[in-house]
Amino acid sequence: MIISANPRVGVGVFVVNGAGKFIVGLRKGSHGHGTWALPGGHLEGGESFETCTAREVLEETDLRIKNAQFITATNDIMIDEGKHYVTIWMACEMVDPLGEPKVAEPEKCERWEWVSWEELKGWVEAHGGAEDRRDPNTRPLFLPFLNIVTQRSDFEGPARALLQARMHI
């Protein structure tokens, strides 16, 4: 399959709660259907990463966020779908630390769950990496979400302290 000539920019968001977990949702209705991913979407023209983060989280989960911070980026080439994305990874906290995500876009997400970094790493390990998905019983992960661990497992950045404090990683 031919890969699109111009990569698109996506934003993925770790929405962290007081228990050190973050939201993952089961995608539907678009590329990555049937896989688990973080809230997020496309960066719009002229939009900052922080504005996109707040907009996408509110649109998808009905949660208001604060302290949005850049973590890292991944290079996501989706060969089967002919797409190429650069994904900007952000972390944030909820304005209401006891808030619960709602399925605000039911055409795009089936449900939301809270998970830990250790659970995510376990899912990635069960996949055997981005290319070899050897365990058919594991949760299928959206390629960019899989890549945050396989490409950037040692990532550092301004939000690292937030993730370490909140998620105990």
Side-chain angles (χ1 to χ4, degrees):
M1 175 167 281
I2 297 173
I3 303 296
S4 61
N6 297 313
R8 299 209 50 199
V9 178
V11 173
V13 185
F14 285 92
V15 179
V16 182
N17 72 8
K21 294 189 173 190
F22 55 91
I23 303 166
V24 295
L26 184 57
R27 293 175 64 91
K28 68 180 198 179
S30 66
H31 70 284
H33 175 85
T35 62
W36 290 86
L38 297 175
H42 293 105
L43 184 70
E44 294 180 358
E47 191 174 44
S48 71
F49 297 160
E50 295 79 8
T51 300
C52 180
T53 296
R55 177 182 54 78
E56 287 290 350
V57 171
L58 183 62
E59 286 175 1
E60 294 183 13
T61 69
D62 201 33
L63 292 172
R64 297 200 183 279
I65 59 102
K66 62 183 181 178
N67 300 330
Q69 298 177 14
F70 173 80
I71 300 174
T72 191
T74 54
N75 189 35
D76 307 309
I77 301 170
M78 302 169 198
I79 294 170
D80 292 344
E81 298 173 3
K83 296 179 187 270
H84 183 181
Y85 277 81
V86 172
T87 303
I88 304 302
W89 294 99
M90 302 290 288
C92 64
E93 299 172 273
M94 298 181 300
V95 170
D96 175 0
L98 301 176
E100 287 296 326
K102 297 180 179 117
V103 177
E105 294 180 321
E107 70 284 0
K108 294 181 181 178
C109 181
E110 187 173 313
R111 68 181 183 272
W112 295 108
E113 294 180 11
W114 293 103
V115 301
S116 69
W117 184 257
E118 287 71 30
E119 287 173 290
L120 170 59
K121 287 188 347 187
W123 297 341
V124 171
E125 203 171 277
H127 274 267
E131 302 302 321
D132 173 26
R133 297 182 179 187
R134 64 177 179 248
D135 184 347
N137 298 314
T138 192
R139 288 190 182 203
L141 300 177
F142 189 45
L143 181 66
F145 193 33
L146 183 62
N147 285 347
I148 189 86
V149 176
T150 60
Q151 289 182 13
R152 300 287 186 257
S153 60
D154 61 344
F155 68 85
E156 295 294 333
R160 182 68 172 172
L162 170 67
L163 289 177
Q164 285 176 323
R166 292 291 186 177
M167 299 169 62
H168 313 291
I169 60 171

